[in-house]
Structure formats: structure tokens, C-alpha cells
Amino acid sequence: MKLPLSRRALTAGAVAVATLMTGGAVAGAAPATAPAPASAAAAAPDIPIANVKAHLARFQSIAQANGGNRAHGRPGYQASLDYVKAKLDAAGFTTTVQRFTASGRTGYNLIADWPGGDANQVVMAGSHLDSVSSGPGINDNGSGSAAVLETALAVARSGHQPAKHLRFAWWGAEELGLVGSRHYVSSLGSTGRAKISGYLNFDMIGSPNPGYFVYDDDPVIEKTFKDYFAGLGIATEIETEGDGRSDHAPFKNAGVPVGGLFSGADYRKTSAQAAKWGGTVGQPFDRCYHSSCDTTANIDDTALDRNSDAIAYAMWELSR
Ligand code: TRP
Ligand code: CA
Ligand code: ZN
């Protein structure tokens, strides 16, 4: 089902906003070079893949120290949330932990607001932070969680001040049926929901035998992602491995424009797909989907890097 572009939907070709560069270097920032010209200052940064992979390594060690998973209601979930929250707090985000109950256990969403921008036009990126109980969940969904975290940290490093308000979210209990994101959307009420210009979802973006799938939802968000990949000369396909199988569904059902990226789960790569993307014909995009082998070895670095850079590109473009 496609949603029509609503009155408050995102606009393409928006006016560039002069970005205020911060003078001081921030820990973890790229080495300082010559001052960027104003036009370059408004461009999205290249997200460092090494930083994204460092977050994944931390998620894996958290799972190892907590019974092999980061699942809802388990200590590995809490530790994952504490790790992400500490990074965001140190970078200057306003963080909120939202509690809910699922299957008799307390769950948590983490919301991070970047101060500034129009509070009536919120551009949001989110990913689920819980794993299944059978494994550490590094592709599903450490990948989305780490890339969204690194995009948020890049916003802080660049002192980015877009016209719209930026919000980032990490959902709990997705694997139990989108429980955290459903809870958040209902907690917003119709007034809160009307302020969200767009919600971008990232669930599995580093699959080891990757495809490049773009959600076929809001046309402006979809075009933004397609433009990014077209600029790299990479073919994309529409995501068809189960519409509504991730945290964008509650937003979509509430009338919020949504979009997202996906590198594939348990469907198998066709010969046509292998011809354009490489990889192994007849094998699943992620042979370790929901398994104990979904570790840091279960990641294609190139796909994770491209998708991470695409998140930053979209967040910059859609918030002008
Ligand atoms: N959400 C699923 C999970 O976490 C993964 C998945 C399957 C998916 N198909 C999808 C995510 C399509 C996004 C889009 O187990
Ligand atoms: Ca990159
Ligand atoms: Zn998932």
C-alpha cells in the first residue's frame, strides 16, 4: 500500500540552510583539515565505517557477557541501551528512555533529540536495538542501531543545525511484534504524530550476501535514497521481503510518511540480483538470520558502509 504525500510530507529540493560550524574538535571527530566552505558545510558527512563497526564489536561483547543475546527483558538489552545512551548524552543529545511492558517483562525505547530546528517538523530515524534470544543480533539489528547511532554522532560532530528538528530512536521488543515502536507511536497521540514529517527505518543493513532494497512508501523519502545509490552507480530494488515487518509499520499505519533501507534476510539471492550486486546466487541474503551465527562475522562491510552513508545523506537532505 502506498500512502499519498500529505500536506506535511517532506519536500524535495529544499532551500539549503547555512550550517554553523563548531570551532572545537570533538572526541572521535575526523582529523581537522582546511575549513570547509559554506556549501560543503551543508553536505552530509561520510560516515566512518570503522566507527560503525566499533559499535557492532561492542554489541557483540555485550551479548557474549550476557548469555549470548541482547533480547528484550534480558541484561544484554539493558547494556546495549546504556551504551548507546551514554554516547548520545556525551555528544549533547537530549535523551529519553520510554518504558513499556511486553510478555511480562519491562522494555525500553531510547529517544534522542538534537536541540534546535522546527519542533513542528520532526525528521526521525530509528532502528530496533533488541536481538532475538537465539543470538547476538549483529546484522539484525546491531547494523541499523550502530549506523543510526553514528549518524547521530556525526550530526553532533558537525554542529549541524538544519531547519527541521532531528530525532533518533532505538526501539525495544521489535522481535516480539514491534512492541516498542507501537508503544511510542500510540504515546505520541494525534498531535504528536502530526509533527513527524517523516520516519526512516533501518533494520538489517549489513547482510553478508547483500541486496540494496529501498522501502516503497513515501515517494520523497524513497527518491532520496534512490538518488543516493544512483550517485554511486548502485542498482536498488523495492523492498518486498515482507511489508510491515519492522518498526516503520506503526508509523505508516498512523499516517506518518515512512521509508527505509534493507539488505535482505532469509530470502535467496536470484541470478539477476547477483549479476547486479555480486554475491552468491541461491543463498539467503543473511544465512544467519535469527541464529547464533549473527555475529560481527555476519556483516558485509561495503553494504554497511554504503547504507550508513545513505542514512546520513537522507537525514541531511530531508531536514533542510
Ligand atoms: N524485522 C525482521 C526482524 O527483525 C526482519 C525483516 C524481515 C525485515 N523482512 C523485512 C525488516 C523487511 C525490514 C523489511 O526479524
Ligand atoms: Ca562511509
Ligand atoms: Zn530486525
Side-chain angles (χ1 to χ4, degrees), residues 128 130 139-141 174-175 203-204 245-246 289-290:
H128 75 87
D130 64 313
N139 186 36
D140 182 15
N141 184 32
E174 187 270 353
E175 299 289 5
D203 183 0
M204 306 183 71
R245 270 178 73 180
S246 192
Y289 176 59
H290 285 184

Side-chain angles (χ1 to χ4, degrees), residues 20-21 23 25 34 65 80 114 135 143-144 165 180 204 216 224 234 242 252 256 264 266 269 295 297 320:
L20 204 68
M21 295 297 285
S80 300
W114 181 238
S143 63
H165 179 78
M204 306 183 71
D216 179 23
T224 304
I234 295 163
K252 178 174 173 166
V256 175
D266 46 3
K269 188 173 272 186
T295 65
R320 292 180 187 285

Side-chain angles (χ1 to χ4, degrees), residues 292-315:
S292 58
C293 61
D294 186 9
T295 65
T296 48
N298 190 45
I299 290 287
D300 182 273
D301 288 359
T302 303
L304 183 63
D305 189 19
R306 288 169 174 167
N307 285 322
S308 299
D309 293 342
I311 296 171
Y313 176 81
M315 289 301 278

Side-chain angles (χ1 to χ4, degrees), residues 276-287:
K276 55 186 164 188
W277 294 326
T280 313
V281 182
Q283 285 298 308
F285 295 103
D286 182 353
R287 55 180 278 284

Side-chain angles (χ1 to χ4, degrees), residues 55-96:
H55 303 316
L56 292 183
R58 181 63 82 98
F59 290 144
Q60 176 141 328
S61 50
I62 285 171
Q64 270 159 4
N66 290 283
N69 67 68
R70 303 180 302 102
H72 166 71
R74 311 286 184 95
Y77 184 76
Q78 183 74 55
S80 300
L81 188 136
D82 291 347
Y83 170 74
V84 175
K85 183 176 184 296
K87 294 275 180 197
L88 295 162
D89 286 337
F93 282 85
T94 303
T95 58
T96 308

